[in-house]
Amino acid sequence: MVDYNPKAIEKLSEKGIPYRFGDAQDVEFLEELNFSQIKLVVSTIPSFKTNLLLCKKIIDQQPKCIVVILTYDNNEAKLLYNLGA
């Protein structure tokens, strides 16, 4: 689990769920993550730009990963689908 919200991180820690505190907009942070064994990604980040970056990074490293991304725009959804989301 990756989150940028300290309260969410605190809850994850209390429940013993593995986590990384970081910002998905930070390319260097994304480079530090190991996507080689992930099977599913769910992003509720409202920023299309961030989700686009995240999708590209994940699909490049793990093309068979299921990527679910929130968007409210049909054109954005089509772009994300074309990338593999």
Side-chain angles (χ1 to χ4, degrees):
M1 178 70 110
V2 174
D3 209 309
Y4 191 64
N5 180 335
K7 289 183 181 181
I9 292 297
E10 184 178 321
K11 288 180 182 180
L12 292 170
S13 179
E14 289 171 359
K15 294 180 179 184
I17 298 171
Y19 64 87
R20 288 287 307 267
F21 178 77
D23 187 350
Q25 295 182 61
D26 182 347
V27 176
E28 290 177 8
F29 173 71
L30 292 178
E31 293 292 334
E32 294 174 5
L33 298 177
N34 179 2
F35 295 119
S36 66
Q37 295 183 353
I38 61 171
K39 295 178 182 173
L40 171 69
V41 172
V42 177
S43 173
T44 59
I45 300 168
S47 165
F48 173 70
K49 183 179 176 183
T50 302
N51 281 321
L52 188 62
L53 173 66
L54 185 61
C55 187
K56 286 179 181 179
K57 291 286 183 191
I58 292 166
I59 297 299
D60 283 349
Q61 292 184 35
Q62 189 58 281
K64 293 185 180 187
C65 181
I66 297 169
V67 180
V68 179
I69 296 178
L70 172 74
T71 183
Y72 297 104
D73 182 278
N74 287 336
N75 292 325
E76 291 176 1
K78 288 177 187 175
L79 288 170
L80 292 165
Y81 285 143
N82 288 335
L83 286 174

